[in-house]
Amino acid sequence: AKITFEEFSQDWLKLYRMKGNKETTNEHRTYCISLLNRYLAKKKITAITSIELQGLLNHLFANGTAYNTLRGTHNTAKMLFAYAKESGLIEMNPVEATFVPKKKMTLQEASSEDTAKLYLETDELKEFLSYVDKHRNIIYRTLIYAIAFTGMRPGEAVALKYEDVDLE
């Protein structure tokens, strides 16, 4: 099998797109594959090693790639190579032996103003909710309150069903 990473990744992506994921998920996988292809495009799928993949992740990390992008790229590679293994092209998934590098946040960074900007102070929350209270749609009001007081992500809140709520 003289198939290159680029060829294999495009075949995998076509199959992946048929799984019925959200379009944003498909776009993210496509982007992650484009990152992988910068380094691996012409390499034979059978010749790619864990050491090489770890080097690639380390290089992206060193060049300031966002942690979530690194994680997405790692996961995409893991799925892609798992498929190569299931297809009998490779015997071991080289991604299994790799990890996503992560910057250790200093106490100074954790308590920095950037982090503080992500959250509302009590008075800011009260002011925001006073505007929310004026909205005529009770569903929107309820949703925003649920998000504000539980820390749920908007997508999680929107997906809630009646049976998910424990009224006791």
Side-chain angles (χ1 to χ4, degrees):
K2 289 183 170 40
I3 189 165
T4 65
F5 179 83
E6 188 172 32
E7 293 164 332
F8 189 82
S9 65
Q10 293 317 303
D11 290 346
W12 178 83
L13 201 53
K14 278 186 201 129
L15 288 171
Y16 185 81
R17 284 182 165 277
M18 295 166 95
K19 290 184 173 184
N21 297 300
K22 282 195 252 170
E23 194 45 41
T24 51
T25 305
N26 289 335
E27 285 166 13
H28 182 63
R29 297 291 175 218
T30 304
Y31 175 69
C32 292
I33 283 177
S34 76
L35 283 182
L36 291 164
N37 268 310
R38 283 189 206 165
Y39 301 84
L40 305 171
K42 301 302 173 208
K43 296 218 63 152
K44 303 218 181 328
I45 193 89
T46 52
I48 297 167
T49 66
S50 298
I51 293 168
E52 187 171 11
L53 288 167
Q54 188 63 60
L56 179 163
L57 290 166
N58 294 352
H59 188 261
L60 288 170
F61 173 72
N63 284 299
T65 304
Y67 179 69
N68 284 338
T69 304
L70 286 172
R71 248 184 47 199
T73 303
H74 187 253
N75 286 335
T76 301
K78 196 182 277 188
M79 289 188 281
L80 196 143
F81 280 97
Y83 178 63
K85 185 180 170 183
E86 287 161 25
S87 305
L89 277 175
I90 57 175
E91 281 178 34
M92 264 180 59
N93 183 339
V95 186
E96 298 290 345
T98 65
F99 67 94
V100 180
K102 190 176 182 183
K103 196 171 88 148
K104 189 177 187 334
M105 193 182 268
T106 64
L107 189 59
Q108 203 172 357
E109 287 171 319
S111 56
S112 74
E113 288 184 19
D114 288 344
T115 312
K117 279 184 213 156
L118 298 172
Y119 304 97
L120 297 178
E121 296 295 334
T122 308
D123 54 326
E124 294 171 321
L125 181 62
K126 281 180 182 165
E127 188 183 344
F128 172 67
L129 292 176
S130 76
Y131 284 105
V132 171
D133 290 337
K134 293 178 182 129
H135 201 291
R136 63 180 187 277
N137 187 323
I138 189 156
I139 294 173
Y140 290 149
R141 292 198 313 257
T142 307
L143 203 55
I144 291 171
Y145 268 85
I147 290 167
F149 290 106
T150 63
M152 238 184 278
R153 296 178 186 148
E156 294 169 327
V158 171
L160 280 176
K161 293 183 195 67
Y162 187 78
E163 54 269 20
D164 296 330
V165 182
D166 180 358
L167 296 169
E168 290 167 36

